[in-house]
Amino acid sequence: MYIAASRTSDLASGTDRKPALKRVSANVLALGMVSLVTDVSSEMVTAVLPLYLVLGLGLNPLQFGLLDGLYAGATAVVRVLGGHLADRWRRLKAVAGFGYGLSAVCKLGLVAAGSSVAAIGVVLAADRTGKGLRTGPRDALISLSSEPATLGRSFGVHRAMDTVGAFLGPLVAMAVLALSLGSYTSVFFTSFCVAAIAVLLLALFVRDRPGAVDRAAVSARSALGLLRQQDFRRVTLWAALLGLVTVGDSFVYLALQRRWEIAATYFPLLPLGTAGVYLLLAVPLGKLADRVGRWPVFLGGHVALCVALVLLCGPAYAALPVVALGLHGVFYAATDGVLMAAAGPLVPAGLRATGLAVVQTGQAVARMLSSVLFGLAWTLWDLRPAVLVAAACLAAVALAAAFAKPVRP
């Protein structure tokens, strides 16, 4: 893995190549460790939740789409608020910590909710509210703790560490299910314990980096003023449009399960294919984005997702699920941190958390609508037509975004 790689001096070229860890700040590594542990917790829930809701509680695709949309979109309202408060109070770490803590408590809420779909919806909304509050300040801390020329690498390292947690989460969930004889309550409680450890790590090892700025300069008007900047506005709008035609993770896994009749026991393993590829490629694609341009790499990730969707409708060959999951991992490695690296330099340091939260909010709202629309399409047309229409829409928007080039080289 790249972050563990060590490079020595190259006498022939006269260059001194430092170890990779020394080219990423300690704060980024600490935030990466917090995200790693948090993702173990959150992916434990994510791995079993679709199965629990669809097969356990009997939700149809439209009902699941509404709940999944709520899960994705609940962050939209609070992302900008979290970023604005972090910039306004100059307390990025404190606001992020509150978000991590809220999400941790919500794991206990899932235990209390039992089989009530309404209660589960409320708890998931609160959990995503915590994610919305923390994401902007966290990404601002990464951006402010990194050199501008290596933002892609820094976000790639963070996302790679984050993905280690995403890889371990489903494995832990399966182990807990096996030891507890299929008790989802045990999974949710264990998830809470892991999330509490992440909050402790944040408190002990992450340093605040608010940036030198007059608080009076951080206002709602100044935040809205970011959208008057052409480059930032174009990035935000195109990211939202692409989010609108992006099929959510849970639907991808449910489609794989249905198309290849994967046993329910193995369903939590599907996210591991995505996470494994994401882990391997997050840093290399972050470096590539620093070199060749962040927007081309970002769009390339959407092309990978489009191909993965087409494969879901192809022949039922045994190898195709593996390829589709691999391309799903490429999508995340090329888009998640790369978009933040592209948007970060377009925002003043004093408004970094707010600006990144604006971009994330556009994506969250778009993906909320996408989940509802895809769930409706699946219900009305069945799986294959819904996936093919989604793939065609994604290809069309990605092509238009390639011609628009909102981020300058």
Side-chain angles (χ1 to χ4, degrees), residues 217-409:
V218 182
S219 64
R221 180 176 296 180
S222 61
L224 291 174
L226 291 172
L227 292 174
R228 298 192 192 100
Q229 301 176 19
Q230 183 180 9
D231 289 347
F232 180 79
R233 182 176 67 252
R234 284 158 59 88
V235 167
T236 303
L237 290 176
W238 279 109
L241 282 173
L242 286 163
L244 185 62
V245 291
T246 297
V247 176
D249 301 355
S250 296
F251 278 120
V252 171
Y253 302 140
L254 285 171
L256 281 166
Q257 190 272 335
R258 174 173 167 176
R259 184 73 177 78
W260 277 269
E261 299 180 349
I262 297 170
T265 307
Y266 301 109
F267 185 84
L269 292 177
L270 293 179
L272 295 184
T274 298
V277 176
Y278 189 179
L279 174 62
L280 291 173
L281 295 182
V283 176
L285 289 181
K287 291 173 58 184
L288 180 66
D290 287 335
R291 270 201 313 270
V292 305
R294 289 154 190 165
W295 194 249
V297 173
F298 179 69
L299 291 181
H302 287 84
V303 172
L305 177 62
C306 185
V307 175
L309 294 178
V310 172
L311 291 179
L312 291 179
C313 301
Y317 297 138
L320 287 186
V322 177
V323 178
L325 286 173
L327 290 169
H328 196 229
V330 172
F331 163 69
Y332 273 107
T335 58
D336 191 12
V338 171
L339 177 60
M340 294 298 98
L346 305 177
V347 185
L351 289 170
R352 191 64 54 86
T354 304
L356 295 182
V358 167
V359 178
Q360 294 159 357
T361 294
Q363 275 195 314
V365 171
R367 289 184 176 179
M368 175 182 66
L369 295 174
S370 174
S371 289
V372 175
L373 292 173
F374 187 81
L376 178 61
W378 187 341
T379 302
L380 295 176
W381 304 337
D382 203 12
L383 174 61
R384 193 170 183 272
V387 172
L388 287 175
V389 169
C393 291
L394 178 58
V397 175
L399 182 62
F403 283 104
K405 297 180 181 177
V407 180
R408 296 169 185 170

Side-chain angles (χ1 to χ4, degrees), residues 41-50 52-53 57 67 70-71 102-128 183-192 195:
S41 169
S42 62
E43 291 301 322
M44 287 178 65
V45 174
T46 302
V48 301
L49 199 59
Y52 178 55
L53 294 174
L57 302 185
L67 199 58
L70 175 67
Y71 189 63
L102 177 59
S103 292
V105 172
C106 286
K107 304 306 187 293
L108 290 180
L110 288 173
V111 175
S115 60
S116 170
V117 176
I120 291 173
V122 171
V123 172
L124 292 179
D127 176 74
R128 295 298 89 181
S183 170
Y184 289 99
T185 297
S186 298
V187 174
F188 299 149
F189 182 76
T190 305
S191 175
F192 161 73

Side-chain angles (χ1 to χ4, degrees), residues 1 3 155-165 278-279 282-283:
M1 186 175 164
I3 59 173
F155 276 102
V157 168
H158 174 268
R159 293 326 195 241
M161 296 180 72
D162 181 277
T163 308
V164 172
Y278 189 179
L279 174 62
V283 176

